[in-house]
Amino acid sequence: HKWYLFVICFAEIRLDVEPKHADIQSLNQKASELMKDTSPDQIDVVKEPVSAVNKRYDNLLTGISSR
C-alpha cells in the first residue's frame, strides 16, 4: 500500500516538473539574447542566476530519474 502511494506521488511530481523544461529553455534563450546586447562586464549579471536555475533544475531531474 505504501509503495503504491509512493508511485502515485512520484508520478504526480514528474507530471509537475517535466513540463517546466519548456520554461527553462525559454529562459535560456532569452538570457542568451540578452547577453548578446550586454556589455562584457555585465554578462555575469545575467549568466550567473540563469546558470543557478539550470543547475537546480538539472539536479531536480536527476533526483527524479534516480528514483
Side-chain angles (χ1 to χ4, degrees):
H1 187 261
K2 288 181 182 180
W3 177 250
Y4 177 75
L5 290 176
F6 173 78
V7 170
I8 296 297
C9 288
F10 178 74
E12 289 177 4
I13 291 170
R14 206 173 183 139
L15 288 173
D16 287 341
V17 171
E18 287 181 353
K20 301 298 182 199
H21 185 72
D23 294 336
I24 298 295
Q25 286 180 319
S26 177
L27 173 68
N28 287 322
Q29 182 179 1
K30 289 175 183 174
S32 179
E33 291 170 11
L34 184 60
M35 286 188 285
K36 289 178 187 175
D37 299 329
T38 303
S39 63
D41 59 324
Q42 292 294 310
I43 287 179
D44 284 341
V45 172
V46 176
K47 191 175 186 177
E48 288 179 11
V50 172
S51 293
V53 168
N54 284 319
K55 184 174 182 176
R56 287 194 307 265
Y57 186 72
D58 289 343
N59 289 341
L60 181 60
L61 290 178
T62 300
I64 290 172
S65 296
S66 67
R67 306 235 179 234

